[in-house]
């Protein structure tokens, strides 16, 4: 069956505004008559629950454990027969995901063997490549300001030092993948409306 939907991934360090921009894009695509399925990683699976527990700091896990768990969760994300990425795309839905394997390469890839993390994801036949990755770029300073202003608790990666390392790693990952994937970097320090319009232009809307 021909896949009719588009697979769009949003990435960015914490506080970059992914949720807001995903909501706006979903609303616009629906207004255009498109069927839209919003999703996110970690998923609601068992592996996703283990990841959220670790991200909150409740359970300590090594970077290798985290990378392997994210890959396991990502495979489920793709092949879940009820509402997995492949199922929804083949049913004609545009799939918008909040985070994907770029996050594994940036977050866990900055703490353990980056080549292993990359290959575990890109070499897996059940992990689909997105049609478009939109990276909402924000400085660590602005990210920390937004996190502290909008949340009661912080996750394990939400420190200035870790966000700086992750942002740098995102850029290295994008440089490595630029010949094989469509990745667009957007300045996320501007107004919500300006960012939204730039995203729409990338999609020809």
């Amino acid at each position: 069956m021909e896949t009719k939907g588009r697979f769009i991934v949003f990435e960015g360090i914490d506080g970059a505004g992914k949720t807001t921009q995903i909501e706006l894009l979903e609303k616009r695509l629906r207004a255009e008559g498109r069927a839209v399925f919003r999703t996110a990683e970690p998923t609601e699976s068992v592996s996703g629950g283990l990841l959220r527990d670790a991200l909150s700091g409740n359970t300590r896990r090594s970077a290798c454990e985290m990378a392997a768990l994210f890959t396991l969760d990502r495979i489920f994300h793709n092949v879940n027969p009820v509402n997995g990425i492949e199922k929804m795309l083949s049913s004609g839905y545009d799939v918008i995901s909040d985070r994907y394997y770029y996050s594994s390469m940036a977050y866990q890839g900055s703490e353990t063997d980056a080549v292993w993390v990359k290959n575990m994801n890109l070499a897996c036949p059940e992990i689909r490549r997105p049609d478009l990755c939109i990276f909402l770029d924000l400085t660590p300073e602005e990210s920390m300001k937004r996190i502290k202003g909008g949340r009661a608790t912080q996750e394990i990666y939400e420190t200035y030092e870790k966000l700086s390392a992750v942002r740098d790693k995102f850029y290295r990952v994008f440089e490595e993948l630029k010949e094989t994937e469509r990745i667009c970097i957007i300045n996320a320090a501007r107004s919500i409306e300006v960012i939204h319009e730039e995203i729409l232009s990338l999609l020809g809307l």
Side-chain angles (χ1 to χ4, degrees), residues 106-131:
Y107 283 84
Q108 288 76 54
S110 64
E111 295 183 336
T112 187
D113 189 305
V115 175
W116 173 67
V117 177
K118 175 183 175 181
N119 290 342
M120 186 164 48
N121 283 275
L122 298 188
C124 179
E126 291 188 333
I127 295 179
R128 170 184 278 268
R129 301 286 185 101
D131 296 304

Side-chain angles (χ1 to χ4, degrees), residues 1-87:
M1 179 183 295
E2 181 182 356
T3 297
K4 298 178 180 178
R6 292 173 288 187
F7 181 24
I8 303 163
V9 168
F10 277 77
E11 292 281 10
I13 62 174
D14 301 84
K18 297 187 306 300
T19 300
T20 298
Q21 292 302 328
I22 288 171
E23 288 174 351
L24 289 172
L25 179 58
E26 178 187 19
K27 182 178 179 180
R28 177 58 183 269
L29 288 172
R30 291 189 185 280
E32 296 283 333
R34 304 286 301 182
V36 182
F37 179 71
R38 278 179 57 186
T39 186
E41 293 186 352
T43 70
E44 296 299 320
S45 69
V46 173
S47 53
L50 294 173
L51 285 163
R52 282 189 294 277
D53 198 47
L55 289 168
S56 69
N58 290 334
T59 302
R60 292 181 61 85
R61 294 190 182 276
S62 72
C64 285
E65 283 184 288
M66 294 292 284
L69 277 171
F70 267 114
T71 304
L72 176 63
D73 192 48
R74 192 162 294 123
I75 293 170
F76 172 82
H77 198 188
N78 274 269
V79 304
N80 172 13
V82 177
N83 58 2
I85 293 168
E86 291 298 333
K87 168 68 174 178

